[in-house]
Structure formats: C-alpha cells, structure tokens
Amino acid sequence: MSRFSSLLVLVVVAVLAGWGRPEFSDAERQTIASLALSRLPPLKPDTTNRFADVPAAAALGSTLFFDTGMSGDGTVSCSTCHKIDRQFQDDLPQAIGVGRTNRRTMPLAGVAHDPWFFWDGRRDSLWAQALTPLENPLEQAGNRAAFAHYIKARFGERYERIFGPLSDLSSVPANASPLGTDAEKAAWNAMPASQAEEVNRVFANIGKAIAAFERSIAPPQTRFDRFAIDVAAGAEPKGDAAFSPEEILGLKLFIGKANCVTCHNGPRFTDGSFHNTGVPPVAGLPPDRGRVDAVRQVEADPFNCFGAFRDGDASACRELRFMVKAGPELVRAYKTPSLRGAATRPPYMHAGQFSSLDEVVAHYSKAPASVEGTSEIHPLQLSDRERAALVAFLKTLAE
Amino acid sequence: MASLWRYLLGGLGLAALLAGVLAVVYLTAPHAPQPSSDVGRSKTTANKLFVATFEPEKGVIRQGELESWLLTLNTVHGAPVEGAAITISGGMPQHKHGLPTSPQATDYLGAGRYRIDGVKFTMSGWWQLHFAISAAAGSDTVVFNVVL
Ligand SMILES: [Cu+2]
C-alpha cells in the first residue's frame, strides 16, 4: 500500500470513528446522561397523603382542579392559571385569578418530585400547596367553610366513597376561615373546635385529592432526551435526535463554561433548591424577599407535615425538620425552575421579569448584583454566538 | 538532513519556552480554593482530641437525596466517645454558599456512633462539612471534604 493510500485509510477511519458525531469527553457524556428523562426515578409514595395514589381520589381531584365552583366568585379554578393545553401555566408575567398576583404561574409537569412548593417553597407538600390558592383573595378567593359545604352538596357521594362519612355541616357557617375577611374570621373563631377540625379535615382532603391528580402530570420526552440516550450509549443520534453544531455548542456551554448545570441538574433540570441569582424586582409589586419569608410561612402552616392532617408518621417530615431556617442566603432566593418545556412558555422568572430566553441568558451572562442579599452567579462574558447557542440548546428541551 | 535537525531543535526550544511561560503563569495566578486531596472518611480532629469517621449510612451518596450519615467518634486511644454534643455547618467553598439543609445529630447508636440526619448534596462538586464536637474530653472540630 502506498503511503498516500494509508493516509487516506486513516482519514476515513477517523471520520467514521468520530468526526461525524458530536465529540464529548467522558465527564460530559456522564453529565448528559444524568440529564436524560429516562434517569428520572419513579415518584416516591407520599405517606403524608394516603390517597396520593388512589385512582378515585385522583379522579375527584381532576374534577375539582377544573371546577370554577372551587372559588369565591365561581369564576376561577386551578386550571384558570394552570392551563392544561399550556403546560399547566398561563403565559402571563403574574398570574391572574380573582385578582392579580405577584408571581408567575409555575408549570406542573413533574411537580410531585419537588420537596418544596411555590417559587419560595412556602409549602412542604403538594396537598398543602393546593389548599393555598383556594383561600388567597387574589387567586380562588374562597373560604374553607364554603368549600366544605360545596363539596358536600356537589360531590358528597364521591367524596364519602374515598374519604369516609362527612359529618353534618348544617350548623357550620356558610363562610368561615381563619384566613378570610374579618367576618369570616369572626365566624371561624365562634365555631366549636370539633367543627373547625371537621371543616379543616374536608379542606385537607380537597388538597389531597387535587395532589393525587397532579401526581399524574409527568414531563414528556424531548429531542434532548432522544439525543442523550444515544450519547450515553455511545451511539450516533439519528434523525431528529441529531443535534446541530449550534445546539451542541449550547449543550457544551450549559454543562461547561456557563455553569447552568450547577443548579439546573438532574433529569428535571433543577436542584430543587433556592438561589438568589440577582433577578430584579418588578416595579409596582409588593416587596418580595423570596425564601427568607417563606420559611416562617411553612412553619406556621397548620397543614404542614408536622400538623394534625398528615397521614402516616413524622418520619416523612425530614425536609421540614432539616430546613434551613435563617441566613443571608435565603434573601431573594427562589426555587430553581425546571427547564423542560421552558422555551415555549415565556415570560420567565418568579414574576415574569424576562420576556424571552435571550433576556434570561443575557441576565446570567451579565450577572448583575441583587437589590437585596447576594447573587450567587458571576459574570460569564458570553459572546453573541454563545448566548444564541444556549438558547438553541434550551429549545431542544421543548421539542 | 542538517536543516531537518535544525527545525527539530527549534521546535523543541519553542516547546520548552512555552512550557516555561505556562509554568510561570500557573505558579503566579491567583488560586481559587481547591478541593483538598483530603477526602478521607476518617481523621483526627483539629486539636487531636478525637478520631472521627464520617460515612453515608447507606454506603452510597445520591445527589439531591436527603440522607443520613454516621459520625463515629473515638478518643485517640480508641475508646468510643459517648454523650457528645455535635453541631454541623458547611457548604461549597468554590460556590461560596452554605448547605441546602441543616443536618443534625439525631440519634446515638452506641459504640461512639452518631446518626447525622438531613444531609443533602444538591450539586456536584466540592462540599465541606464542619463538625463542632463537645464531649467529656473537651471540645474540638473536624472538617470532612465530600466531592461529588
Ligand atoms: Cu454549589
């Protein structure tokens, strides 16, 4: 064989072996594999909600989720903001229920994997979370006595088949809640303790049914996942699983120089924790200090894991028990959101501060200081090409 | 042939120069804290009062999971340390943040073994756990490095 033809053979072998496929180091390959949806562990049982995996409870929960009767004025349901055809969010910078809230609606895919709920983690279970908007005057604006009456009148039989007999509520005031208007609070305080307990129990069960339904909302497989499965197996991604050079650059930045994967890790692209990343406040909204105020709220919540309405034993309450309760890092810290599907649901951040992924990536590249507390992120000096590549990669999580 | 040698020598010279420049840059560059090569699970405390061993109760570390670890305390003579008061702090030195949870010593399991529950590592990288230990023999501290 001539020297020239040996060289030709070498080049052909090299092309076949690597040049036609993305080249990742072993470390990169491992990180890519760790992000694949196929790595998402099965949902853990929620022992604090013994109805969590009861199909009839999930069915009732889904009815309640879409029922505008579950609001003070009969016009708002969970699904008003968590829209089923919009990844269970509403495309608005701040959610609008009965009034305008100060926070962006969170999507629900995979939500049951979270240890904490809401942007600031002010609830510690999916069922305790579901109760909160029901009584928030800006969201569903109802009160728990009215909800108990409504459930008995409208879904009494279905409810009793799941949760057992409902007691006689005829002496319960039509409207009463420890969180309501002055009149509702007075009515609540005048109720005998046993009656308040019964109303609270019905109220908690509403949350448990809605949570059972929400547990079924899972993130769908994306182009990234098909790509990642092949990369992890050392195969060449084909067809729509193949990434463009720009998408590969974006992925390499995401798991490398841009440090996105530090917080956006695992198959849900979130560490489930809280970080101050210097996202600016929105003018005109009430002061919002994030996690630092939420720890008090979750501790005070009667429906938290330590409360009387938990099923099972307190061994399920370790997140609450070992919660960080104080410290400068909690100031303006918000939960790392999952990035699955994010590309098709602007605007972004906890109060819809950024209207496009370009703005989000520009923020993380520039890393401005936080108005209060200290931002955990540092300037990246990404080029235009690099920022565009990150956005191109993020789109593969929504295709 | 002579010219080929000259090129080779020139190349070697350039490579040596480059290596020298890189060495100077490396040695004079400000260094971020590095994960200590010390990732041992067993060590003597700072003032040499105790020998401490820190290991995951289930043997493996899973990122993002709330886990319990075991801290075993012996005197330097090998006797188990009982009735110790233990406080835990820590974080990621390179990210300049603390722990995402507040781990606590929850149970004494006998033979100098304490369950440290509520440990969670939410990110990959270098973590440090600082233990302040108070027992009959006195108070001491120890730092364990965990690299994920
Ligand atoms: Cu970190």
Side-chain angles (χ1 to χ4, degrees), chain A residues 82 95 101-108 111 114-136 139-140 214 270 272-274 290-291 294 297-298 301 333-337 350:
Chain A
H82 298 288
T101 74
N102 63 336
R103 292 269 176 82
R104 173 86 173 91
T105 302
M106 303 194 88
L108 297 183
V111 67
D114 277 341
W116 299 103
F117 301 86
F118 292 113
W119 279 102
D120 52 14
R122 65 187 182 277
R123 290 297 179 270
D124 66 339
S125 72
L126 196 48
W127 60 270
Q129 188 285 329
L131 298 176
T132 312
L134 289 171
E135 292 194 313
N136 182 334
E139 297 181 64
Q140 278 148 291
E214 290 176 325
T270 171
S273 201
F274 304 92
R291 183 65 175 159
Q297 295 174 44
V298 70
D301 177 25
Y334 298 89
K335 187 159 69 185
T336 310
H350 64 270

Side-chain angles (χ1 to χ4, degrees), chain B:
Chain B
M1 249 0 233
S3 68
L4 183 65
W5 276 112
R6 203 177 300 158
Y7 277 116
L8 256 176
L9 273 176
L12 275 174
L14 272 175
L17 186 69
L18 188 66
V21 167
L22 280 175
V24 167
V25 166
Y26 179 77
L27 289 172
T28 55
H31 278 259
Q34 288 299 310
S36 160
S37 52
D38 163 27
V39 288
R41 293 277 164 86
S42 209
K43 53 176 68 173
T44 305
T45 53
N47 294 320
K48 306 196 166 44
L49 282 183
F50 312 113
V51 175
T53 304
F54 186 56
E55 55 204 344
E57 189 166 1
K58 286 183 179 155
V60 290
I61 313 172
R62 287 169 308 162
Q63 189 176 322
E65 294 288 324
L66 201 56
E67 292 178 321
S68 58
W69 286 58
L70 294 179
L71 182 73
T72 306
L73 297 175
N74 286 292
T75 64
V76 282
H77 307 295
V81 176
E82 310 215 316
I86 301 162
T87 56
I88 302 119
S89 59
M92 296 186 83
Q94 289 161 318
H95 297 174
K96 298 190 179 72
H97 63 71
L99 298 175
T101 57
S102 300
Q104 294 164 26
T106 54
D107 304 279
Y108 180 60
L109 306 171
R113 294 180 310 142
Y114 297 80
R115 176 176 288 127
I116 309 297
D117 201 1
V119 178
K120 195 197 259 190
F121 300 111
T122 44
M123 297 175 180
S124 55
W126 172 30
W127 293 84
Q128 271 192 336
L129 281 130
H130 302 248
F131 294 87
I133 301 154
S134 230
S139 296
D140 209 345
T141 60
V142 65
V143 177
F144 284 96
N145 297 297
V146 176
V147 177
L148 256 70

Side-chain angles (χ1 to χ4, degrees), chain A residues 72-155:
Chain A
D73 67 359
T75 65
V76 178
S77 68
C78 306
S79 68
T80 301
C81 299
H82 298 288
K83 296 183 190 300
I84 189 168
D85 57 345
R86 288 298 310 138
Q87 298 184 46
F88 290 96
Q89 57 84 46
D90 56 9
D91 302 314
L92 298 170
Q94 296 104 34
I96 295 175
V98 170
R100 180 175 167 224
T101 74
N102 63 336
R103 292 269 176 82
R104 173 86 173 91
T105 302
M106 303 194 88
L108 297 183
V111 67
H113 290 270
D114 277 341
W116 299 103
F117 301 86
F118 292 113
W119 279 102
D120 52 14
R122 65 187 182 277
R123 290 297 179 270
D124 66 339
S125 72
L126 196 48
W127 60 270
Q129 188 285 329
L131 298 176
T132 312
L134 289 171
E135 292 194 313
N136 182 334
L138 301 175
E139 297 181 64
Q140 278 148 291
N143 65 82
R144 62 193 71 174
F147 287 126
H149 287 297
Y150 180 73
I151 290 290
K152 181 152 185 155
R154 185 107 168 68
F155 305 108

Side-chain angles (χ1 to χ4, degrees), chain A residues 272-293:
Chain A
S273 201
F274 304 92
H275 303 280
N276 180 335
T277 59
V279 175
V282 174
L285 291 184
D288 189 336
R289 304 180 75 225
R291 183 65 175 159
V292 73
D293 290 336

Side-chain angles (χ1 to χ4, degrees), chain A residues 235-255:
Chain A
E236 187 185 336
K238 294 221 169 62
D240 90 321
F243 270 20
S244 71
E246 187 183 37
E247 289 162 346
I248 287 169
L249 173 64
L251 169 58
K252 278 183 175 270
L253 288 165
F254 188 91
I255 64 175

